[in-house]
Amino acid sequence: MKYTEIIDKYLDGKMTSQEEAAFEAQAKTDRDLAKEIELHQLAIVGIQYIQETRYQETKVRVEALVREVEAEQSTHLVVEESNNDVVRNEPKPPPPVIPIWIRHKLLPIAAMLLLIPTIYFIAVSYSNPLKETSVALIKHYEGTTQGEDNPDKPEKTVLLDAIDLFKQGKYKEAIPVFDGIISENVADKPSAQILKADALYRQGKKAEALHVLKSIKKEDDSTLYENVQKIIKKME
Amino acid sequence: MDEQRIYELLSSDNLDKENEGMEMLIQHKEYLMQKHGRQMQNYFDEREKHEIFIEKTQTLLEIIRVDNFEWRGKSSLERFLFTLIYRKIQNEVRKKRMNRLVEITRKHENQTSITDKPSSEKKWAEISRFIDQRLGKTCEKVLIMRYYEGMQLDEIAEEMGLKYGTTKNNSAKCMNKLKQLIKENPNVRDYFRGLLED
């Protein structure tokens, strides 16, 4: 049996314990086998990198096109509204459709995405490992403070101010506001720490972002803590 | 496990409902993980098991969010999650075993001489194009299924509509072809070694 198949058999755990011991003993002394093992490892790393890179490139292209579509749709909406101002009695026109040229551009890419097996459609995470958690937190705070059964609290308002700055991309200005919440508001401290870390990360300050994430304590919020440990692992 | 209810919650486009669905899934962690018994016991500690489970339930949620999951009645969610976890485990086990093997061979010469690290996108584009051209689409597809997605040979055979023996031969031939490319091209070899160091 050739090296490739033997190595795969070992990696798949399909050898008997005797075969496994013999193979490991051979790997210790057989230089050719050792070189093959290294090549095998490099080939696996290479193929994984090829696919992950391809996935990221496709994702960026699709996101760019989706932005184009959204921009195009909002242009249609503006035209539609101004027309409605002039001729109010006419029946409402149908909702804006995606222009054909954009649809044609989207289709092959959508098809490419479908070819990527579903299992890895999302498995390769977004380039910013904090993004998803931050979006969820922002949704949460914006949702809870707007609810009727959640009277405005001063702390929430400060946090929402910081979130507004964050959403506008004013990370430098948002960070001191997050710092204020971290030192004064126990309830929102872990959320503010995560958002501060994201603001740092988006400015390219990965090490500082990691430092902030590592300062989050389990006792402050065990659910967020679990999530943060996963983010740290991705970032390291 | 009320799969249909969980699926409805996860596909609701409502954060609170999604959270509720995730919580319901997490309550069934032990039940869902015990199906992977032996390999789990041998290779993963409790923390790792938990991380795999959480990662794959989140993957499931994302797949549902982009409408890439088709509800096909009872057990479909459970089977899908089982496959996600199973393939993750296969990949992780292979990674652990490969690390062990590399550790064993470390005393040999020329094993860790990193001469180059991934440097530029341009360089990667050249290497990627070179591999694309030399490896061919079919080989690339087989290798991605085998070594990226963690699929077993029988699964690949089914996916490609080929016999098990043919798939096994093809997979080995393609892997050998890639290894030969790496062996003969120092640029590719050094770039991939750099990836290992990252």
Side-chain angles (χ1 to χ4, degrees), chain B residues 54-70:
Chain B
I54 295 297
E55 184 186 319
K56 290 301 138 194
T57 48
Q58 284 176 346
T59 304
L60 173 71
L61 172 63
E62 294 298 341
I63 288 170
I64 291 174
R65 273 182 185 162
V66 295
D67 289 333
N68 236 342
F69 174 81
E70 190 184 346

Side-chain angles (χ1 to χ4, degrees), chain A:
Chain A
M1 198 188 284
K2 289 169 191 165
Y3 281 138
T4 293
E5 289 171 67
I6 300 172
I7 296 168
D8 272 333
K9 191 176 175 186
Y10 176 88
L11 295 181
D12 285 335
K14 287 181 177 165
M15 285 182 173
T16 63
S17 50
Q18 289 91 338
E19 283 175 327
E20 199 169 301
F23 180 70
E24 287 180 356
Q26 190 189 349
K28 278 182 190 167
T29 54
D30 185 338
R31 184 168 298 185
D32 287 341
L33 176 57
K35 283 180 181 170
E36 276 290 321
I37 290 168
E38 195 211 3
L39 274 176
H40 204 93
Q41 187 187 28
L42 293 178
I44 293 174
V45 165
I47 206 74
Q48 290 175 341
Y49 191 66
I50 286 171
Q51 185 64 358
E52 285 187 13
T53 312
R54 191 173 295 158
Y55 167 78
Q56 288 300 335
E57 286 168 359
T58 310
K59 187 169 177 289
V60 167
R61 286 175 63 193
V62 170
E63 282 175 350
L65 283 169
V66 167
R67 277 197 297 275
E68 275 186 59
V69 172
E70 285 170 353
E72 191 73 21
Q73 283 181 329
S74 39
T75 312
H76 278 254
L77 277 170
V78 171
V79 174
E80 186 184 320
E81 278 171 11
S82 61
N83 285 344
N84 284 346
D85 286 343
V86 180
V87 198
R88 285 185 185 279
N89 292 330
E90 283 190 2
K92 198 178 177 186
V97 291
I98 300 171
I100 286 170
W101 68 273
I102 292 181
R103 272 192 285 170
H104 283 181
K105 276 169 82 177
L106 273 173
L107 278 174
I109 294 168
M112 271 174 71
L113 274 179
L114 287 174
L115 286 175
I116 299 172
T118 40
I119 181 170
Y120 275 97
F121 187 84
I122 298 296
V124 183
S125 190
Y126 302 111
S127 53
N128 176 357
L130 282 149
K131 185 179 163 186
E132 199 173 341
T133 308
S134 297
V135 169
L137 283 172
I138 290 170
K139 271 187 188 174
H140 169 73
Y141 280 104
E142 289 183 336
T144 51
T145 49
Q146 283 161 14
E148 287 178 9
D149 53 345
N150 289 283
D152 270 352
K153 294 175 186 173
E155 297 86 359
K156 291 278 197 264
T157 308
V158 175
L159 185 55
L160 276 181
D161 286 345
I163 286 172
D164 277 341
L165 291 169
F166 179 90
K167 281 166 70 182
Q168 290 167 43
K170 296 176 181 172
Y171 305 122
K172 277 185 185 171
E173 293 167 47
I175 286 170
V177 189
F178 285 132
D179 280 335
I181 297 162
I182 292 165
S183 60
E184 289 169 15
N185 183 343
V186 177
D188 293 330
K189 185 180 170 186
S191 305
Q193 283 172 305
I194 290 173
L195 292 169
K196 180 189 172 184
D198 196 356
L200 288 164
Y201 187 88
R202 285 166 197 251
Q203 291 178 88
K205 297 174 182 173
K206 188 179 164 186
E208 285 180 57
L210 263 172
H211 180 73
V212 173
L213 288 174
K214 285 178 179 172
S215 68
I216 296 174
K217 291 175 185 159
K218 192 173 185 177
E219 55 267 34
D220 287 342
D221 187 324
S222 59
T223 314
L224 274 182
Y225 178 83
E226 294 287 345
N227 205 350
V228 164
Q229 296 314 302
K230 209 178 145 195
I231 295 169
I232 291 172
K233 206 175 165 189
K234 276 185 193 170
M235 285 170 70
E236 283 181 331

Side-chain angles (χ1 to χ4, degrees), chain B residues 15-57:
Chain B
L15 200 62
D16 290 335
K17 287 184 178 175
E18 280 180 3
N19 287 342
E20 192 186 333
M22 288 293 274
E23 277 168 23
M24 283 175 77
L25 260 185
I26 290 167
Q27 280 168 15
H28 294 90
K29 184 180 120 183
E30 292 306 322
Y31 165 74
L32 290 161
M33 293 303 268
Q34 73 182 8
K35 292 169 181 285
H36 304 277
R38 194 176 61 84
Q39 276 197 315
M40 287 302 255
Q41 292 305 327
N42 291 346
Y43 289 100
F44 302 99
D45 59 29
E46 285 308 312
R47 186 182 58 81
E48 288 173 313
K49 284 181 201 172
H50 181 73
E51 279 173 4
I52 289 174
F53 181 77
I54 295 297
E55 184 186 319
K56 290 301 138 194
T57 48

